Amino acid sequence: MAFTPLHDRVLVRRIESDEKTAGGLIIPENAKEKPAEGEIVSVGEGARKDSGELIAMTVKAGDKVLFGKWSGTEVKIDGEDLLIMKESDILGTL
């Protein structure tokens, strides 16, 4: 893949949730919510302060993260559905 996010943005691949509940019930496709958990594919170099100083990214490629339900912009790169979001949209790492 030849895509690198700019500034403080990250490229995230959603991690699909289980198709069964803990009790063994199968969840139909139309009843599933989009997962708010993903794996970081690539990161930008970081944000810049007004002085021009670089603020390094906290996350790195390969990190598993949680993000807000409506976070990011959905894109299709090399036939794969991914999300581009700002680092501030990430709630935490797993």
Side-chain angles (χ1 to χ4, degrees), residues 23-35:
L25 298 174
I26 296 175
I27 302 169
E29 189 67 35
N30 60 354
K32 286 184 190 175
E33 288 189 19
K34 290 186 177 180

Side-chain angles (χ1 to χ4, degrees), residues 42-64:
S42 63
V43 298
E45 65 179 12
R48 296 223 177 247
K49 294 182 181 180
D50 290 336
S51 64
E53 182 182 345
L54 184 67
I55 302 170
M57 298 288 278
T58 307
V59 295
K60 61 186 178 311
D63 284 353
K64 303 252 190 290

